[in-house]
Every structure is written in structure tokens, then in C-alpha cells.
Amino acid sequence: LLKRWNELDSQANVYLFAGPGIYEYQGHQSYFTRMGAQADWESRRLYTMARYSRAQWNDGDFEDYQARLGFAPYLANYEELNSWGILQFQYIPDLNKKVTITPTLSMFYKILLWEVGSSLDGNWMFYFMIRY
């Protein structure tokens, strides 16, 4: 977390991230690094996020651009189930030359967050996180 702004009815954040990893594809393995930046803003009703990341390894590099727009259909407290409808936009220039749009349902309850969605091309995604 590089910077956080807490307002009465909203919050904004700027993150920087980096780390090493191991990439394996069709029996070929190499080390890589990934780095990027993310900014988000949210109120109890609206959510926005933009992220850029880049991975580099021996054979090349990989860029990933992502943006999200979300809304909460109802207001809930921390002790209640919170739901968000999110449209995720992702562009990976080296993978394909189009923006992938993924409608997503995001829900969280206390320390649990889970998301499920399907891109307009029919590719499913599921995300689960426990924060404590």
C-alpha cells in the first residue's frame, strides 16, 4: 500500500507490487518477475479499479491491463452479506488483440470474499480470499 485516503463516505488506495515466481508451460520452466501498480476508489455503492502489471522471464514479457466498475444493489453492514455487481475489463496485448469483458458477482462476509463470473466469450473465473 503506497497511499490510502479515508473520507467520510469513500476510500481510495494506490498499491505497488512486485515479486518473483516460476513459470512452467509445456514442460519448459523459467523464473520470472512480476511488478505493477493498482489504484481503486470505492464508496458503499460504487467501486472502481485500474491495474497494470508486467511479467518478465527469459523468453519475453507479458503485460496485463485491467479495469473494474462495480455497484452494490443494497447497503449492508460489515456483519451482513455484502454483494457487488462488477464489470471487469481486461486487455492482454500478447494473448489477444481485444478487450475481454467479464460480468462478475462479488460477495463478502466479514473476512471472506468470493467472486464468480463468466466472460462474454464463455471463460469462467472464480476467486476466493480469506483476510485476517
Side-chain angles (χ1 to χ4, degrees), residues 43-45 72-77 80-82:
S43 69
R44 293 193 63 210
R45 282 271 187 208
Y74 60 91
L75 295 179
N77 293 319
E80 300 173 322
L81 179 65
N82 285 263

Side-chain angles (χ1 to χ4, degrees), residues 41-94:
W41 174 88
E42 65 184 79
S43 69
R44 293 193 63 210
R45 282 271 187 208
L46 300 173
Y47 165 72
T48 61
M49 184 275 291
R51 177 173 56 211
Y52 167 79
S53 69
R54 180 182 179 118
Q56 293 180 300
W57 60 90
N58 296 347
D59 299 339
D61 62 355
F62 187 85
E63 291 183 307
D64 181 9
Y65 301 85
Q66 192 176 110
R68 294 179 126 199
L69 298 172
F71 71 96
Y74 60 91
L75 295 179
N77 293 319
Y78 177 74
E79 300 287 328
E80 300 173 322
L81 179 65
N82 285 263
S83 302
W84 289 82
I86 296 174
L87 275 180
Q88 177 175 292
F89 304 88
Q90 187 172 26
Y91 178 59
I92 303 172
D94 294 329

